[in-house]
Amino acid sequence: VFGRPTDVAFDLQGNIFVADGYTNSRVAKFSKDGDFIKSIGKRGNQPGEFNTPHTIANDAKGNIYVGDRGNSRIQVFDSDLNPVRIISNVRAPWGICISPPNAQGQQFLYSADAGGKIYKTDLEGKLLGVFPSARFAVGLDTGGCRLLAGGNRAVATQSVR
């Protein structure tokens, strides 16, 4: 049973990953047909534990990125939910987005915190930049990650890769 899930992602095979954030502090994996496969996590601050897994995304290699908001980190897992790494140079991720591969095959991770800062890292977690404005949101569309400026209403958008 879900306890106020917060986000969903789909891997390259169509499997479904649910950030079951507020009550259960876990990530659940389902087949593309909706059959339960496994879940990981419980409330805590150790690797594989979460304090409000609030957002989830995947890269082109099938890795799953979980924005562990209460622990101010992003935990990365392979598609079988085995731990890969922890990215801890971001603040409380409320939303994350991974850009499509560019011409060189490189992808970037964008993480937005509660104050509106957006952190840009490579997929290993190296910090590449910070958008400091408190008036941004981050989202994903068919063109890649999109920054929305203007607070509660979109005044301008900028596609980023």
Side-chain angles (χ1 to χ4, degrees), residues 5 11 13 17 19 23 40 45 50-51 57-58 67 81 86 91 101 105 107 109 124 127 132-133 135 139-140 156:
D11 71 8
Q13 290 73 41
F17 295 83
T23 303
I40 60 164
N45 60 10
F50 305 100
N51 184 353
N58 64 291
L81 296 178
I86 294 177
R91 289 190 54 215
Q107 292 183 275
L109 170 67
E124 297 297 317
L127 187 63
S133 172
R135 290 294 185 190
L140 179 66

Side-chain angles (χ1 to χ4, degrees), residues 15-151:
N15 294 308
I16 306 159
F17 295 83
V18 178
D20 192 10
Y22 286 106
T23 303
N24 294 324
S25 288
R26 69 177 180 151
V27 172
K29 178 181 179 179
F30 297 85
S31 73
K32 64 181 177 182
D33 299 317
D35 297 319
F36 177 79
I37 296 174
K38 72 186 284 188
S39 69
I40 60 164
K42 64 179 182 176
R43 185 165 298 278
N45 60 10
Q46 298 300 308
E49 296 177 346
F50 305 100
N51 184 353
T52 314
H54 198 263
T55 181
I56 193 166
N58 64 291
D59 67 20
K61 294 180 182 176
N63 292 314
I64 305 299
Y65 294 70
V66 180
D68 187 2
R69 189 179 80 187
N71 289 320
S72 291
R73 65 188 182 187
I74 298 169
Q75 295 194 60
V76 184
F77 301 90
D78 67 18
S79 62
D80 291 322
L81 296 178
N82 297 307
V84 174
R85 73 181 137 294
I86 294 177
I87 298 171
S88 57
N89 58 354
V90 298
R91 289 190 54 215
W94 282 62
I96 59 175
C97 180
I98 298 174
S99 68
N102 62 18
Q104 295 75 36
Q106 189 176 26
Q107 292 183 275
F108 300 100
L109 170 67
Y110 295 87
S111 174
D113 70 17
K117 286 184 180 175
I118 297 176
Y119 302 82
K120 179 181 181 181
T121 70
D122 65 16
L123 296 186
E124 297 297 317
K126 179 183 176 189
L127 187 63
L128 302 174
V130 178
F131 295 91
S133 172
R135 290 294 185 190
F136 280 106
V138 66
L140 179 66
D141 67 14
T142 56
C145 293
R146 187 164 295 276
L147 302 179
L148 283 75

